[in-house]
Amino acid sequence: MYKRVLLKLSGESLGGPSRKGLDETSLLKFATEIKKVIDAGYQMAVVNGGGNIFRGLQGLEKGYDRVTGDRMGMLATVINSLALASALRGLGVKAEVFTATPMEPIARHYDRDEAIRILEEGGVAIISGGTGNPYFSTDSGAALRALELKADALLKGTRVEGVYNLNPETHPEAVKYDEVTFDQCLSEHLKVMDATAYSLCEQGPVPIIVFNINTPGAILDIVNGKKIGTIVHA
């Protein structure tokens, strides 16, 4: 079992079928899944991506420099986090949004000890804004926060059932791994998370569990110890 976990949600997942903007049905669905975990007595932090609103690298295509584009992406994650917190509170779950850079009164400036306190009180700490620095992905931010919060695992929600040797959405012959090492992910260029995220989790060590976020009950099953998806370990 995993007593304390950090869930990495992609921004596209919050956008629903279109993967753009905010989809109320998807927000409620994920909030409900998170509530199941909290009600079962586990602790959970969440880091959202921002690709449903703006992805930093998109800025280069639109004429923005990389730093500006990444900052815009960080703001997108704040919007997603505020929306998820609102959905959780609507279900009676205490949720607090933290930002990597000061944004009071929109949200609280991230403080590790305060985030842990909220987890221990049965609330959800939603940490936005990536690392607060350009050139770092939200995956790297999720790995960093998982280490800081002493999470037992980082749960990476995706659209597929785990890690494959090829993209299963375009290659039906792709083979799924039940488990894989960080080194193998790097050597085989398995696009689960970026190299910085792998390196951070390997230092922990904090295992990464890659699973289909759209499977009802999957998050609770994972924290209960059921083997779902793919586990990435040292």
Side-chain angles (χ1 to χ4, degrees), residues 142-157:
L144 174 63
R145 302 312 181 198
L147 264 66
E148 289 181 327
L149 299 176
K150 299 185 182 298
D152 298 313
L154 193 165
L155 312 187
K156 167 82 181 217

Side-chain angles (χ1 to χ4, degrees), residues 10 14 17 23 26 47 61-63 65 72-74 81 88 92 102 123 125 140 143 146 160 165 170 173 180 205:
S10 71
L14 299 178
D23 179 73
S26 296
V47 168
E61 303 170 1
K62 300 178 183 297
D65 66 82
M72 294 169 70
M74 292 177 208
S81 297
L88 284 165
S140 293
V160 295
N165 63 333
T170 56
E173 75 279 12
V180 65

